[in-house]
Amino acid sequence: MSPVVASRRRWPVYTAWGLLLVGLLAVMIVGFANRQTNQDVSEADAKAAELVAAFDAAGLVPLDQDVVADVLGSDGGIVCTDPDGALAIAARRAGLENGAAGPGMRASAFPQDLLTAGRLVLETYCPDVVDDYDDFVGSLDVHDGTTTSG
């Protein structure tokens, strides 16, 4: 029997083994992904419940636990990714200003609850940066409902 004929007879066997291995790999990947996802969802729900309870205890606007879990996940998402980076600091300061550009940019009135809410989120998701947040809040000049960056 020629080598060409022998390889043609083996082709269905090789194909079956290949498909079996690919199928097994797919099942393993899906199973691992679901295990990771279920674990992350459980952690995200627990953290969200903790944050919702902290907001309630502080008398802040109630939060939807499902929304908090979706947005912040189990690790705080963007809030904890780079809390000391220039972009995060600029975003915090921009949130305390009126939104104008250039000479019209000035501090605006904001509720004190905003600072409390920010601290509660950090305490829940990334407690290691709470001291830096307190330093940032301490650097603000708060006068009669307005603030300026110090």
Side-chain angles (χ1 to χ4, degrees), residues 2-150:
S2 73
V4 173
V5 172
S7 67
R8 284 186 185 165
R9 285 186 183 174
R10 293 182 188 158
W11 178 83
V13 173
Y14 293 147
T15 302
W17 276 107
L19 290 175
L20 180 66
L21 290 175
V22 168
L24 183 61
L25 181 62
V27 168
M28 290 172 40
I29 289 173
V30 168
F32 180 75
N34 284 340
R35 186 178 64 84
Q36 288 294 99
T37 302
N38 290 338
Q39 182 179 359
D40 289 344
V41 167
S42 175
E43 289 177 24
D45 286 340
K47 290 278 190 167
E50 183 180 340
L51 183 61
V52 168
F55 266 58
D56 288 343
L60 299 174
V61 175
L63 299 173
D64 183 335
Q65 183 174 332
D66 293 332
V67 173
V68 172
D70 288 344
V71 171
L72 296 176
S74 60
D75 62 355
I78 192 84
V79 174
C80 297
T81 300
D82 187 18
D84 296 328
L87 181 60
I89 292 170
R92 284 192 296 247
R93 290 187 180 195
L96 302 175
E97 295 170 346
N98 67 354
M105 184 179 275
R106 63 185 182 280
S108 62
F110 69 97
Q112 184 67 26
D113 292 348
L114 179 68
L115 298 176
T116 304
R119 191 173 200 288
L120 290 174
V121 170
L122 294 177
E123 283 177 352
T124 304
Y125 287 94
C126 40
D128 54 318
V129 299
V130 171
D131 291 337
D132 294 334
Y133 181 76
D134 290 341
D135 292 342
F136 167 74
V137 170
S139 72
L140 301 174
D141 292 329
V142 180
H143 301 285
D144 301 326
T146 61
T147 183
T148 56
S149 300

